[in-house]
Amino acid sequence: MQDRYGRIIEYMRVSVTDRCNLRCVYCMPREGVPGVAHSDILTFDEIERVCRIGTTLGITRIKLTGGEPLVRRNLPDLAGRLTAVPGIDQVTLTTNGTLLKDNINALVSGGMKYINISIDTLDKERYREITRGGSLEDALDGLRAALSFPELTVKINCVPLEGQRAEEWIRLASIARGSRVEVRFIEMMPVGLGRQFSGQTQEKVLSVLREKFGEPERYQGRLGNGPAVYVHFPGFCGRIGFISAVSHRFCGSCNRIRLTSTGCLKPCLQYGGGADLRGLMRQGGGDDEIREAMYKTIYNKPAGHHFEEQNIREDEEGKFEMKEMSRIGG
Ligand code: SAM
Ligand code: SF4
């Protein structure tokens, strides 16, 4: 469906858990996020129901995310169930990859065709620092497992941090030289803990890569669900992408909404509030009632974020999302 600004909303990011087995410094507090009771998290039946109703409003693509989606037990079953919902054309997964090796067979046999793996550096020690204790080898095992399925589209997501050595971006980008992987650099967003960190602009990363790999061609086609712009370096198998929500604002073409693990439908990453679909479902709400709540949320999606306003005005406190990225389906 279209929102009130005429944008077509067709893509829903579904967070299946707030929990994560890593503690990336810009995403998750060292001590983890406050525990949410299992009973407060949407069940697979409830998630499937929201997705099914979403299809009647034009939602055709679902991204499973978190927290770390693979810490949720039987996640591949959910992925398979959503893939089978009539009207859903695509179910994708964003994961840190560390639990992927053990889940890949079940995911692929359930119909999963697209997986994004977040790896910010290929330096073992830096990886451990950024993730506060994570094992790069586990993430790379996940990447290798995914690449062993030729039918899977695999992307790597990296949030380049200020102070990171340029060599780290070159190493990550080099993966796209030798294999059919898209490597994407995502600009740090001032959401949750991200407010305390500075990222790197796409121009900076691109200039480093250009110096190393030569002049890239701009890729004009569309790849995936989002706002990434892609370039193609000479001799590379995969493309390099940039997603820069702050410096290259793309709100005018935003196509997404978000369902949190506790069943709140959020129209924009930066705004607090949203529709309490869990409450509606658990009070016995019918499909029409839930559809109406989804319709209103989508229709009233804000025109855009205000990330550039670092200092929120007093009268706007409460309007903006203050939770960590891992709790809002980043
Ligand atoms: N755990 C999974 C993962 O790491 O891919 C899925 C959830 S994670 C919140 C999704 C993506 O959001 C990751 O690629 C992560 O790097 C990114 N992310 C987290 N905080 C961010 C921030 N403040 N700005 C930009 N990207 C962020
Ligand atoms: Fe976990 Fe993903 Fe957040 Fe890292 S970015 S702490 S892996 S949810």
Side-chain angles (χ1 to χ4, degrees):
M1 66 170 272
Q2 287 189 8
D3 70 3
R4 66 189 155 136
Y5 299 106
R7 294 171 295 191
I8 294 171
I9 310 302
E10 58 195 353
Y11 172 53
M12 182 159 71
R13 293 179 72 96
V14 175
S15 173
V16 295
T17 179
D18 287 3
R19 294 172 195 221
C20 187
N21 56 339
L22 302 183
R23 296 282 182 272
C24 299
V25 288
Y26 54 83
C27 177
M28 196 46 106
R30 185 183 298 277
E31 63 283 6
V33 289
V36 177
H38 192 64
S39 55
D40 287 339
I41 299 286
L42 291 191
T43 63
F44 285 181
D45 285 345
E46 288 168 332
I47 293 173
E48 186 180 340
R49 183 175 179 200
V50 173
C51 293
R52 183 173 47 72
I53 297 171
T55 63
T56 69
L57 293 167
I59 299 295
T60 57
R61 287 174 277 160
I62 304 289
K63 162 85 73 201
L64 295 174
T65 179
E68 172 48 43
L70 291 173
V71 302
R72 177 123 183 212
R73 204 180 313 156
N74 300 329
L75 189 272
D77 292 351
L78 175 67
R81 283 171 66 168
L82 299 182
T83 303
V85 170
I88 292 184
D89 299 337
Q90 198 184 81
V91 177
T92 64
L93 174 72
T94 290
T95 171
N96 62 38
T98 56
L99 304 170
L100 192 53
K101 191 174 155 201
D102 293 338
N103 285 286
I104 194 79
N105 286 327
L107 285 166
V108 173
S109 39
M112 177 68 64
K113 294 196 175 63
Y114 308 86
I115 297 188
N116 294 353
I117 303 177
S118 301
I119 303 178
D120 289 340
T121 175
L122 290 176
D123 180 306
K124 218 165 100 183
E125 277 315 309
R126 277 291 289 155
Y127 185 89
R128 192 179 299 282
E129 271 169 38
I130 294 172
T131 60
R132 294 202 191 91
S135 153
L136 174 65
E137 211 33 56
D138 289 348
L140 293 180
D141 279 348
L143 174 64
R144 284 188 279 265
L147 288 175
S148 69
F149 290 89
E151 66 271 39
L152 262 184
T153 298
V154 180
K155 294 178 185 165
I156 293 175
N157 288 340
C158 160
V159 177
L161 292 160
E162 195 180 48
Q164 214 166 344
R165 288 180 302 119
E167 179 58 27
E168 296 184 55
W169 308 326
I170 292 172
R171 283 178 73 190
L172 270 171
S174 297
I175 299 179
R177 178 152 61 178
S179 53
R180 51 172 185 90
V181 175
E182 254 92 59
V183 176
R184 301 161 351 141
F185 293 92
I186 302 178
E187 189 176 39
M188 178 74 72
M189 289 183 273
V191 173
L193 291 174
R195 290 170 209 277
Q196 298 165 24
F197 289 85
S198 299
Q200 279 296 354
T201 61
Q202 75 180 56
E203 284 71 22
K204 169 76 184 165
V205 176
L206 188 55
S207 77
V208 165
L209 301 185
R210 195 183 266 130
E211 208 167 295
K212 177 74 182 173
F213 300 121
E215 194 55 40
E217 262 176 44
R218 174 84 190 258
Y219 177 73
Q220 300 296 349
R222 186 175 165 185
L223 293 173
N225 290 314
V229 292
Y230 287 94
V231 298
H232 191 216
F233 284 98
F236 271 52
C237 296
R239 296 183 181 81
I240 304 294
F242 296 92
I243 302 179
S244 308
V246 186
S247 62
H248 295 252
R249 186 188 183 84
F250 39 72
C251 301
S253 58
C254 186
N255 62 353
R256 60 193 56 193
I257 50 170
R258 293 161 197 273
L259 181 66
T260 69
S261 61
T262 52
C264 176
L265 188 69
K266 286 175 61 70
C268 174
L269 195 56
Q270 199 194 12
Y271 288 79
D276 176 17
L277 301 185
R278 182 190 67 193
L280 281 178
M281 287 191 282
R282 294 190 182 175
Q283 284 149 25
D287 284 5
D288 285 351
E289 209 178 323
I290 291 151
R291 186 178 190 276
E292 180 64 16
M294 293 179 76
Y295 178 90
K296 280 193 186 138
T297 304
I298 296 173
Y299 186 76
N300 292 316
K301 185 174 157 70
H305 66 64
H306 296 276
F307 285 149
E308 63 287 357
E309 293 169 32
Q310 291 292 336
N311 297 318
I312 294 168
R313 296 199 314 265
E314 243 172 57
D315 60 325
E316 290 185 327
E317 266 180 39
K319 179 171 148 192
F320 290 119
E321 181 60 80
M322 302 307 280
K323 291 202 275 297
E324 296 84 11
M325 193 69 126
S326 56
R327 297 175 65 199
I328 46 179

